[in-house]
């Protein structure tokens, strides 16, 4: 009977997961497909004008485009920016061990790729062990502060500490996203919405790579702004560490809140498991 109930619960979870993915696919298609088609038509028109202006054959243009794609895949843009400096390498190492993996810089040598595998196998568990410990510490600090507020200020018995801790850590996560968006606007020339998008994609370790701090901005010469790369790289690494720890603390505090008997209904699950 226990196996049957567990199987039924697993089936429901898988079904919800698949429905959620399908729903997301439908919405993303509705939002992005038209823009994709417009961009495609614009690029085809630009390619046609380019061929006519410079009298380039279709085969020669294809070879040229393939070379451009290869250059872009290696992290280069219209400005020559050295990617494997100590700062660039430091930023890359941070994205590896945090599993963000923006993809704008990747090792191309056999030695680099083999070392990346070994480095990740060791670094990822160490990083998440540190983050989980830091998340637990953050929750403990917030919990003690709330209990102190209840007992000394409100002078009553603490109640609902878990759910309040979850709310506070969630608010901290939102604040971190909003703050990093400001730095993105100032140092990278992004729109504020793009900065918010970058912060969320980073904190959730999705890491698409379409917005990355080391990207040169079109409205400035990257060689003349070395200081901003240094500042933003250091801030980004700090942001990775603290932000991911706070996200972990959100998940941990939500789990703790669900285990509180003050939340009606959740204790029934625990009592059922004990029986």
């Amino acid at each position: 009977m226990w196996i049957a109930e567990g199987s039924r619960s697993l089936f429901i979870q898988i079904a919800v997961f698949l429905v959620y993915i399908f729903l997301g696919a439908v919405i993303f298609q509705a939002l992005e497909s038209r823009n994709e088609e417009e961009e495609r038509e614009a690029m085809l028109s630009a390619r046609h004008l380019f061929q006519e202006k410079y009298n380039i054959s279709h085969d020669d243009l294809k070879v040229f485009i393939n070379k451009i794609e290869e250059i872009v895949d290696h992290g280069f843009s219209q400005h020559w920016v050295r990617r494997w400096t100590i700062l660039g390498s430091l930023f890359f190492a941070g994205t590896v061990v945090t599993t963000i993996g923006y993809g704008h810089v990747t090792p191309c040598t056999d030695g680099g790729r083999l070392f990346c595998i070994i480095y990740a196998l060791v670094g990822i568990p160490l990083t998440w062990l540190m983050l989980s410990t830091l998340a637990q510490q953050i929750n403990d600090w917030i919990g003690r502060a709330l209990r102190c507020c209840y007992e000394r200020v409100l002078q009553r018995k603490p109640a609902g500490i878990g759910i309040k801790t979850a709310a506070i850590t969630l608010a901290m996560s939102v604040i971190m996203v909003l703050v990093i968006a400001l730095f993105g606007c100032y140092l990278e020339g992004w729109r504020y919405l793009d900065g918010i998008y970058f912060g969320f994609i980073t904190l959730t370790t999705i890491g698409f790579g379409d917005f990355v701090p080391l990207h040169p901005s079109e409205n400035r010469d990257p060689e003349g702004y070395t200081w901003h790369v240094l500042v933003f790289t250091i801030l980004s690494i700090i942001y990775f560490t603290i932000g991911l720890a706070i996200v972990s603390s959100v998940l941990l505090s939500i789990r703790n809140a669900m285990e509180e008997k003050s939340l009606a209904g959740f204790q029934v699950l625990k009592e059922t498991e004990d029986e």
Side-chain angles (χ1 to χ4, degrees), residues 171-202:
M172 291 171 62
S173 299
V174 173
I175 291 172
M176 287 207 67
V177 171
L178 297 179
V179 169
I180 202 66
L182 289 175
F183 283 101
C185 290
Y186 177 69
L187 295 176
E188 292 294 315
W190 297 340
R191 296 183 307 156
Y192 190 64
L193 179 60
D194 294 334
I196 293 175
Y197 170 79
F198 162 76
F200 177 79
I201 293 301
T202 299

PDB file of all heavy atoms in Angstrom, residues 171-202:
ATOM      1  N   ALA A 171      12.887  38.359   0.472  1.00  0.00           N
ATOM      2  CA  ALA A 171      13.028  39.810   0.268  1.00  0.00           C
ATOM      3  C   ALA A 171      14.491  40.177   0.037  1.00  0.00           C
ATOM      4  O   ALA A 171      14.804  41.044  -0.801  1.00  0.00           O
ATOM      5  CB  ALA A 171      12.479  40.556   1.483  1.00  0.00           C
ATOM      6  N   MET A 172      15.402  39.515   0.746  1.00  0.00           N
ATOM      7  CA  MET A 172      16.833  39.764   0.548  1.00  0.00           C
ATOM      8  C   MET A 172      17.264  39.384  -0.860  1.00  0.00           C
ATOM      9  O   MET A 172      18.066  40.090  -1.496  1.00  0.00           O
ATOM     10  CB  MET A 172      17.639  38.977   1.583  1.00  0.00           C
ATOM     11  CG  MET A 172      17.476  39.475   3.005  1.00  0.00           C
ATOM     12  SD  MET A 172      18.222  38.360   4.245  1.00  0.00           S
ATOM     13  CE  MET A 172      19.947  38.422   3.770  1.00  0.00           C
ATOM     14  N   SER A 173      16.721  38.284  -1.385  1.00  0.00           N
ATOM     15  CA  SER A 173      17.039  37.865  -2.745  1.00  0.00           C
ATOM     16  C   SER A 173      16.565  38.905  -3.759  1.00  0.00           C
ATOM     17  O   SER A 173      17.285  39.246  -4.704  1.00  0.00           O
ATOM     18  CB  SER A 173      16.391  36.514  -3.051  1.00  0.00           C
ATOM     19  OG  SER A 173      16.859  35.510  -2.185  1.00  0.00           O
ATOM     20  N   VAL A 174      15.356  39.417  -3.558  1.00  0.00           N
ATOM     21  CA  VAL A 174      14.812  40.434  -4.465  1.00  0.00           C
ATOM     22  C   VAL A 174      15.673  41.696  -4.421  1.00  0.00           C
ATOM     23  O   VAL A 174      15.991  42.287  -5.473  1.00  0.00           O
ATOM     24  CB  VAL A 174      13.355  40.762  -4.088  1.00  0.00           C
ATOM     25  CG1 VAL A 174      12.845  41.950  -4.912  1.00  0.00           C
ATOM     26  CG2 VAL A 174      12.462  39.547  -4.307  1.00  0.00           C
ATOM     27  N   ILE A 175      16.080  42.103  -3.226  1.00  0.00           N
ATOM     28  CA  ILE A 175      16.918  43.297  -3.085  1.00  0.00           C
ATOM     29  C   ILE A 175      18.250  43.109  -3.801  1.00  0.00           C
ATOM     30  O   ILE A 175      18.751  44.025  -4.473  1.00  0.00           O
ATOM     31  CB  ILE A 175      17.139  43.614  -1.594  1.00  0.00           C
ATOM     32  CG1 ILE A 175      15.827  44.088  -0.958  1.00  0.00           C
ATOM     33  CG2 ILE A 175      18.227  44.673  -1.416  1.00  0.00           C
ATOM     34  CD1 ILE A 175      15.892  44.247   0.540  1.00  0.00           C
ATOM     35  N   MET A 176      18.834  41.914  -3.692  1.00  0.00           N
ATOM     36  CA  MET A 176      20.110  41.651  -4.363  1.00  0.00           C
ATOM     37  C   MET A 176      19.969  41.767  -5.873  1.00  0.00           C
ATOM     38  O   MET A 176      20.848  42.291  -6.561  1.00  0.00           O
ATOM     39  CB  MET A 176      20.634  40.267  -3.988  1.00  0.00           C
ATOM     40  CG  MET A 176      21.161  40.170  -2.585  1.00  0.00           C
ATOM     41  SD  MET A 176      22.416  38.875  -2.410  1.00  0.00           S
ATOM     42  CE  MET A 176      23.756  39.518  -3.384  1.00  0.00           C
ATOM     43  N   VAL A 177      18.867  41.272  -6.417  1.00  0.00           N
ATOM     44  CA  VAL A 177      18.631  41.371  -7.856  1.00  0.00           C
ATOM     45  C   VAL A 177      18.505  42.838  -8.274  1.00  0.00           C
ATOM     46  O   VAL A 177      19.079  43.273  -9.275  1.00  0.00           O
ATOM     47  CB  VAL A 177      17.367  40.586  -8.254  1.00  0.00           C
ATOM     48  CG1 VAL A 177      16.988  40.879  -9.708  1.00  0.00           C
ATOM     49  CG2 VAL A 177      17.592  39.092  -8.065  1.00  0.00           C
ATOM     50  N   LEU A 178      17.766  43.614  -7.493  1.00  0.00           N
ATOM     51  CA  LEU A 178      17.562  45.026  -7.823  1.00  0.00           C
ATOM     52  C   LEU A 178      18.862  45.819  -7.724  1.00  0.00           C
ATOM     53  O   LEU A 178      19.127  46.709  -8.545  1.00  0.00           O
ATOM     54  CB  LEU A 178      16.508  45.625  -6.893  1.00  0.00           C
ATOM     55  CG  LEU A 178      15.104  45.025  -6.980  1.00  0.00           C
ATOM     56  CD1 LEU A 178      14.169  45.692  -5.981  1.00  0.00           C
ATOM     57  CD2 LEU A 178      14.544  45.132  -8.393  1.00  0.00           C
ATOM     58  N   VAL A 179      19.696  45.484  -6.736  1.00  0.00           N
ATOM     59  CA  VAL A 179      20.961  46.199  -6.562  1.00  0.00           C
ATOM     60  C   VAL A 179      21.932  45.862  -7.681  1.00  0.00           C
ATOM     61  O   VAL A 179      22.580  46.754  -8.263  1.00  0.00           O
ATOM     62  CB  VAL A 179      21.588  45.859  -5.189  1.00  0.00           C
ATOM     63  CG1 VAL A 179      23.022  46.380  -5.108  1.00  0.00           C
ATOM     64  CG2 VAL A 179      20.749  46.455  -4.070  1.00  0.00           C
ATOM     65  N   ILE A 180      22.057  44.584  -8.024  1.00  0.00           N
ATOM     66  CA  ILE A 180      22.986  44.215  -9.089  1.00  0.00           C
ATOM     67  C   ILE A 180      22.532  44.785 -10.426  1.00  0.00           C
ATOM     68  O   ILE A 180      23.344  45.068 -11.306  1.00  0.00           O
ATOM     69  CB  ILE A 180      23.146  42.674  -9.185  1.00  0.00           C
ATOM     70  CG1 ILE A 180      24.465  42.300  -9.876  1.00  0.00           C
ATOM     71  CG2 ILE A 180      21.993  42.031  -9.940  1.00  0.00           C
ATOM     72  CD1 ILE A 180      25.695  42.686  -9.115  1.00  0.00           C
ATOM     73  N   ALA A 181      21.233  44.997 -10.588  1.00  0.00           N
ATOM     74  CA  ALA A 181      20.727  45.615 -11.807  1.00  0.00           C
ATOM     75  C   ALA A 181      21.222  47.055 -11.935  1.00  0.00           C
ATOM     76  O   ALA A 181      21.530  47.529 -13.036  1.00  0.00           O
ATOM     77  CB  ALA A 181      19.202  45.574 -11.822  1.00  0.00           C
ATOM     78  N   LEU A 182      21.323  47.756 -10.797  1.00  0.00           N
ATOM     79  CA  LEU A 182      21.850  49.130 -10.814  1.00  0.00           C
ATOM     80  C   LEU A 182      23.307  49.148 -11.260  1.00  0.00           C
ATOM     81  O   LEU A 182      23.712  50.003 -12.057  1.00  0.00           O
ATOM     82  CB  LEU A 182      21.721  49.754  -9.419  1.00  0.00           C
ATOM     83  CG  LEU A 182      20.302  50.098  -8.949  1.00  0.00           C
ATOM     84  CD1 LEU A 182      20.337  50.595  -7.511  1.00  0.00           C
ATOM     85  CD2 LEU A 182      19.674  51.139  -9.862  1.00  0.00           C
ATOM     86  N   PHE A 183      24.103  48.211 -10.747  1.00  0.00           N
ATOM     87  CA  PHE A 183      25.502  48.129 -11.166  1.00  0.00           C
ATOM     88  C   PHE A 183      25.601  47.793 -12.653  1.00  0.00           C
ATOM     89  O   PHE A 183      26.492  48.286 -13.352  1.00  0.00           O
ATOM     90  CB  PHE A 183      26.247  47.081 -10.335  1.00  0.00           C
ATOM     91  CG  PHE A 183      26.611  47.550  -8.960  1.00  0.00           C
ATOM     92  CD1 PHE A 183      25.861  47.170  -7.861  1.00  0.00           C
ATOM     93  CD2 PHE A 183      27.697  48.371  -8.758  1.00  0.00           C
ATOM     94  CE1 PHE A 183      26.181  47.608  -6.580  1.00  0.00           C
ATOM     95  CE2 PHE A 183      28.047  48.823  -7.490  1.00  0.00           C
ATOM     96  CZ  PHE A 183      27.275  48.437  -6.394  1.00  0.00           C
ATOM     97  N   GLY A 184      24.706  46.943 -13.132  1.00  0.00           N
ATOM     98  CA  GLY A 184      24.705  46.615 -14.554  1.00  0.00           C
ATOM     99  C   GLY A 184      24.411  47.822 -15.417  1.00  0.00           C
ATOM    100  O   GLY A 184      25.021  48.011 -16.476  1.00  0.00           O
ATOM    101  N   CYS A 185      23.485  48.659 -14.963  1.00  0.00           N
ATOM    102  CA  CYS A 185      23.161  49.884 -15.699  1.00  0.00           C
ATOM    103  C   CYS A 185      24.351  50.833 -15.739  1.00  0.00           C
ATOM    104  O   CYS A 185      24.686  51.409 -16.786  1.00  0.00           O
ATOM    105  CB  CYS A 185      21.962  50.580 -15.062  1.00  0.00           C
ATOM    106  SG  CYS A 185      20.398  49.723 -15.257  1.00  0.00           S
ATOM    107  N   TYR A 186      25.006  51.003 -14.607  1.00  0.00           N
ATOM    108  CA  TYR A 186      26.090  51.982 -14.495  1.00  0.00           C
ATOM    109  C   TYR A 186      27.382  51.504 -15.154  1.00  0.00           C
ATOM    110  O   TYR A 186      28.031  52.257 -15.891  1.00  0.00           O
ATOM    111  CB  TYR A 186      26.347  52.300 -13.024  1.00  0.00           C
ATOM    112  CG  TYR A 186      27.497  53.254 -12.803  1.00  0.00           C
ATOM    113  CD1 TYR A 186      27.404  54.591 -13.186  1.00  0.00           C
ATOM    114  CD2 TYR A 186      28.677  52.811 -12.228  1.00  0.00           C
ATOM    115  CE1 TYR A 186      28.462  55.461 -12.999  1.00  0.00           C
ATOM    116  CE2 TYR A 186      29.749  53.682 -12.030  1.00  0.00           C
ATOM    117  CZ  TYR A 186      29.632  55.006 -12.413  1.00  0.00           C
ATOM    118  OH  TYR A 186      30.688  55.855 -12.232  1.00  0.00           O
ATOM    119  N   LEU A 187      27.775  50.268 -14.905  1.00  0.00           N
ATOM    120  CA  LEU A 187      29.070  49.782 -15.371  1.00  0.00           C
ATOM    121  C   LEU A 187      29.018  49.125 -16.744  1.00  0.00           C
ATOM    122  O   LEU A 187      30.011  49.110 -17.465  1.00  0.00           O
ATOM    123  CB  LEU A 187      29.655  48.790 -14.362  1.00  0.00           C
ATOM    124  CG  LEU A 187      30.005  49.374 -12.994  1.00  0.00           C
ATOM    125  CD1 LEU A 187      30.469  48.279 -12.056  1.00  0.00           C
ATOM    126  CD2 LEU A 187      31.077  50.447 -13.133  1.00  0.00           C
ATOM    127  N   GLU A 188      27.877  48.557 -17.121  1.00  0.00           N
ATOM    128  CA  GLU A 188      27.790  47.840 -18.389  1.00  0.00           C
ATOM    129  C   GLU A 188      26.907  48.528 -19.426  1.00  0.00           C
ATOM    130  O   GLU A 188      26.862  48.096 -20.564  1.00  0.00           O
ATOM    131  CB  GLU A 188      27.266  46.414 -18.143  1.00  0.00           C
ATOM    132  CG  GLU A 188      28.223  45.526 -17.381  1.00  0.00           C
ATOM    133  CD  GLU A 188      29.491  45.234 -18.176  1.00  0.00           C
ATOM    134  OE1 GLU A 188      29.387  44.923 -19.381  1.00  0.00           O
ATOM    135  OE2 GLU A 188      30.579  45.324 -17.599  1.00  0.00           O
ATOM    136  N   GLY A 189      26.187  49.554 -19.003  1.00  0.00           N
ATOM    137  CA  GLY A 189      25.324  50.246 -19.949  1.00  0.00           C
ATOM    138  C   GLY A 189      24.061  49.473 -20.308  1.00  0.00           C
ATOM    139  O   GLY A 189      23.453  49.717 -21.346  1.00  0.00           O
ATOM    140  N   TRP A 190      23.658  48.534 -19.443  1.00  0.00           N
ATOM    141  CA  TRP A 190      22.434  47.767 -19.695  1.00  0.00           C
ATOM    142  C   TRP A 190      21.205  48.574 -19.307  1.00  0.00           C
ATOM    143  O   TRP A 190      21.273  49.521 -18.535  1.00  0.00           O
ATOM    144  CB  TRP A 190      22.437  46.473 -18.874  1.00  0.00           C
ATOM    145  CG  TRP A 190      23.524  45.521 -19.195  1.00  0.00           C
ATOM    146  CD1 TRP A 190      24.273  45.474 -20.339  1.00  0.00           C
ATOM    147  CD2 TRP A 190      24.015  44.448 -18.365  1.00  0.00           C
ATOM    148  NE1 TRP A 190      25.193  44.460 -20.274  1.00  0.00           N
ATOM    149  CE2 TRP A 190      25.054  43.820 -19.077  1.00  0.00           C
ATOM    150  CE3 TRP A 190      23.672  43.983 -17.105  1.00  0.00           C
ATOM    151  CZ2 TRP A 190      25.752  42.731 -18.560  1.00  0.00           C
ATOM    152  CZ3 TRP A 190      24.355  42.905 -16.584  1.00  0.00           C
ATOM    153  CH2 TRP A 190      25.394  42.277 -17.306  1.00  0.00           C
ATOM    154  N   ARG A 191      20.066  48.175 -19.851  1.00  0.00           N
ATOM    155  CA  ARG A 191      18.801  48.670 -19.338  1.00  0.00           C
ATOM    156  C   ARG A 191      18.568  48.065 -17.956  1.00  0.00           C
ATOM    157  O   ARG A 191      19.079  46.992 -17.647  1.00  0.00           O
ATOM    158  CB  ARG A 191      17.644  48.294 -20.266  1.00  0.00           C
ATOM    159  CG  ARG A 191      17.696  48.897 -21.653  1.00  0.00           C
ATOM    160  CD  ARG A 191      16.447  48.502 -22.414  1.00  0.00           C
ATOM    161  NE  ARG A 191      16.253  47.058 -22.407  1.00  0.00           N
ATOM    162  CZ  ARG A 191      15.082  46.450 -22.573  1.00  0.00           C
ATOM    163  NH1 ARG A 191      13.982  47.175 -22.751  1.00  0.00           N
ATOM    164  NH2 ARG A 191      14.982  45.128 -22.564  1.00  0.00           N
ATOM    165  N   TYR A 192      17.759  48.762 -17.148  1.00  0.00           N
ATOM    166  CA  TYR A 192      17.521  48.262 -15.792  1.00  0.00           C
ATOM    167  C   TYR A 192      16.818  46.901 -15.818  1.00  0.00           C
ATOM    168  O   TYR A 192      17.132  46.015 -15.021  1.00  0.00           O
ATOM    169  CB  TYR A 192      16.683  49.262 -14.995  1.00  0.00           C
ATOM    170  CG  TYR A 192      16.609  48.933 -13.527  1.00  0.00           C
ATOM    171  CD1 TYR A 192      17.742  48.950 -12.718  1.00  0.00           C
ATOM    172  CD2 TYR A 192      15.395  48.585 -12.938  1.00  0.00           C
ATOM    173  CE1 TYR A 192      17.676  48.640 -11.376  1.00  0.00           C
ATOM    174  CE2 TYR A 192      15.325  48.280 -11.584  1.00  0.00           C
ATOM    175  CZ  TYR A 192      16.462  48.309 -10.814  1.00  0.00           C
ATOM    176  OH  TYR A 192      16.410  47.988  -9.484  1.00  0.00           O
ATOM    177  N   LEU A 193      15.884  46.736 -16.752  1.00  0.00           N
ATOM    178  CA  LEU A 193      15.198  45.454 -16.879  1.00  0.00           C
ATOM    179  C   LEU A 193      16.177  44.345 -17.249  1.00  0.00           C
ATOM    180  O   LEU A 193      16.073  43.212 -16.746  1.00  0.00           O
ATOM    181  CB  LEU A 193      14.088  45.549 -17.922  1.00  0.00           C
ATOM    182  CG  LEU A 193      13.299  44.263 -18.184  1.00  0.00           C
ATOM    183  CD1 LEU A 193      12.620  43.775 -16.907  1.00  0.00           C
ATOM    184  CD2 LEU A 193      12.272  44.481 -19.292  1.00  0.00           C
ATOM    185  N   ASP A 194      17.147  44.674 -18.108  1.00  0.00           N
ATOM    186  CA  ASP A 194      18.163  43.681 -18.471  1.00  0.00           C
ATOM    187  C   ASP A 194      19.013  43.312 -17.258  1.00  0.00           C
ATOM    188  O   ASP A 194      19.412  42.152 -17.095  1.00  0.00           O
ATOM    189  CB  ASP A 194      19.060  44.228 -19.588  1.00  0.00           C
ATOM    190  CG  ASP A 194      18.309  44.421 -20.895  1.00  0.00           C
ATOM    191  OD1 ASP A 194      17.298  43.718 -21.091  1.00  0.00           O
ATOM    192  OD2 ASP A 194      18.730  45.266 -21.704  1.00  0.00           O
ATOM    193  N   GLY A 195      19.287  44.301 -16.394  1.00  0.00           N
ATOM    194  CA  GLY A 195      20.040  44.018 -15.180  1.00  0.00           C
ATOM    195  C   GLY A 195      19.277  43.113 -14.234  1.00  0.00           C
ATOM    196  O   GLY A 195      19.857  42.214 -13.611  1.00  0.00           O
ATOM    197  N   ILE A 196      17.972  43.344 -14.116  1.00  0.00           N
ATOM    198  CA  ILE A 196      17.134  42.470 -13.286  1.00  0.00           C
ATOM    199  C   ILE A 196      17.116  41.060 -13.851  1.00  0.00           C
ATOM    200  O   ILE A 196      17.230  40.064 -13.123  1.00  0.00           O
ATOM    201  CB  ILE A 196      15.702  43.034 -13.194  1.00  0.00           C
ATOM    202  CG1 ILE A 196      15.705  44.357 -12.418  1.00  0.00           C
ATOM    203  CG2 ILE A 196      14.765  42.036 -12.525  1.00  0.00           C
ATOM    204  CD1 ILE A 196      14.357  45.049 -12.375  1.00  0.00           C
ATOM    205  N   TYR A 197      17.000  40.981 -15.154  1.00  0.00           N
ATOM    206  CA  TYR A 197      17.005  39.679 -15.838  1.00  0.00           C
ATOM    207  C   TYR A 197      18.321  38.951 -15.583  1.00  0.00           C
ATOM    208  O   TYR A 197      18.336  37.759 -15.253  1.00  0.00           O
ATOM    209  CB  TYR A 197      16.782  39.924 -17.322  1.00  0.00           C
ATOM    210  CG  TYR A 197      16.990  38.745 -18.225  1.00  0.00           C
ATOM    211  CD1 TYR A 197      16.019  37.756 -18.355  1.00  0.00           C
ATOM    212  CD2 TYR A 197      18.150  38.624 -18.978  1.00  0.00           C
ATOM    213  CE1 TYR A 197      16.212  36.681 -19.197  1.00  0.00           C
ATOM    214  CE2 TYR A 197      18.347  37.553 -19.829  1.00  0.00           C
ATOM    215  CZ  TYR A 197      17.376  36.584 -19.940  1.00  0.00           C
ATOM    216  OH  TYR A 197      17.576  35.527 -20.781  1.00  0.00           O
ATOM    217  N   PHE A 198      19.445  39.664 -15.704  1.00  0.00           N
ATOM    218  CA  PHE A 198      20.756  39.076 -15.457  1.00  0.00           C
ATOM    219  C   PHE A 198      20.870  38.571 -14.016  1.00  0.00           C
ATOM    220  O   PHE A 198      21.363  37.469 -13.763  1.00  0.00           O
ATOM    221  CB  PHE A 198      21.849  40.101 -15.742  1.00  0.00           C
ATOM    222  CG  PHE A 198      23.180  39.762 -15.127  1.00  0.00           C
ATOM    223  CD1 PHE A 198      23.982  38.780 -15.673  1.00  0.00           C
ATOM    224  CD2 PHE A 198      23.621  40.414 -13.985  1.00  0.00           C
ATOM    225  CE1 PHE A 198      25.206  38.449 -15.101  1.00  0.00           C
ATOM    226  CE2 PHE A 198      24.835  40.101 -13.400  1.00  0.00           C
ATOM    227  CZ  PHE A 198      25.634  39.110 -13.965  1.00  0.00           C
ATOM    228  N   GLY A 199      20.390  39.396 -13.075  1.00  0.00           N
ATOM    229  CA  GLY A 199      20.481  38.998 -11.672  1.00  0.00           C
ATOM    230  C   GLY A 199      19.685  37.749 -11.373  1.00  0.00           C
ATOM    231  O   GLY A 199      20.162  36.843 -10.677  1.00  0.00           O
ATOM    232  N   PHE A 200      18.476  37.666 -11.910  1.00  0.00           N
ATOM    233  CA  PHE A 200      17.645  36.489 -11.661  1.00  0.00           C
ATOM    234  C   PHE A 200      18.239  35.247 -12.320  1.00  0.00           C
ATOM    235  O   PHE A 200      18.301  34.175 -11.704  1.00  0.00           O
ATOM    236  CB  PHE A 200      16.230  36.727 -12.188  1.00  0.00           C
ATOM    237  CG  PHE A 200      15.333  35.533 -12.031  1.00  0.00           C
ATOM    238  CD1 PHE A 200      14.744  35.247 -10.806  1.00  0.00           C
ATOM    239  CD2 PHE A 200      15.094  34.679 -13.098  1.00  0.00           C
ATOM    240  CE1 PHE A 200      13.927  34.135 -10.655  1.00  0.00           C
ATOM    241  CE2 PHE A 200      14.285  33.569 -12.957  1.00  0.00           C
ATOM    242  CZ  PHE A 200      13.692  33.295 -11.733  1.00  0.00           C
ATOM    243  N   ILE A 201      18.676  35.377 -13.572  1.00  0.00           N
ATOM    244  CA  ILE A 201      19.256  34.237 -14.281  1.00  0.00           C
ATOM    245  C   ILE A 201      20.505  33.732 -13.563  1.00  0.00           C
ATOM    246  O   ILE A 201      20.782  32.527 -13.527  1.00  0.00           O
ATOM    247  CB  ILE A 201      19.585  34.630 -15.736  1.00  0.00           C
ATOM    248  CG1 ILE A 201      18.301  34.900 -16.532  1.00  0.00           C
ATOM    249  CG2 ILE A 201      20.408  33.547 -16.427  1.00  0.00           C
ATOM    250  CD1 ILE A 201      17.352  33.723 -16.605  1.00  0.00           C
ATOM    251  N   THR A 202      21.249  34.650 -12.965  1.00  0.00           N
ATOM    252  CA  THR A 202      22.450  34.257 -12.225  1.00  0.00           C
ATOM    253  C   THR A 202      22.104  33.575 -10.911  1.00  0.00           C
ATOM    254  O   THR A 202      22.642  32.517 -10.580  1.00  0.00           O
ATOM    255  CB  THR A 202      23.337  35.484 -11.963  1.00  0.00           C
ATOM    256  OG1 THR A 202      23.742  36.051 -13.214  1.00  0.00           O
ATOM    257  CG2 THR A 202      24.571  35.101 -11.164  1.00  0.00           C
TER     258      THR A 202
END
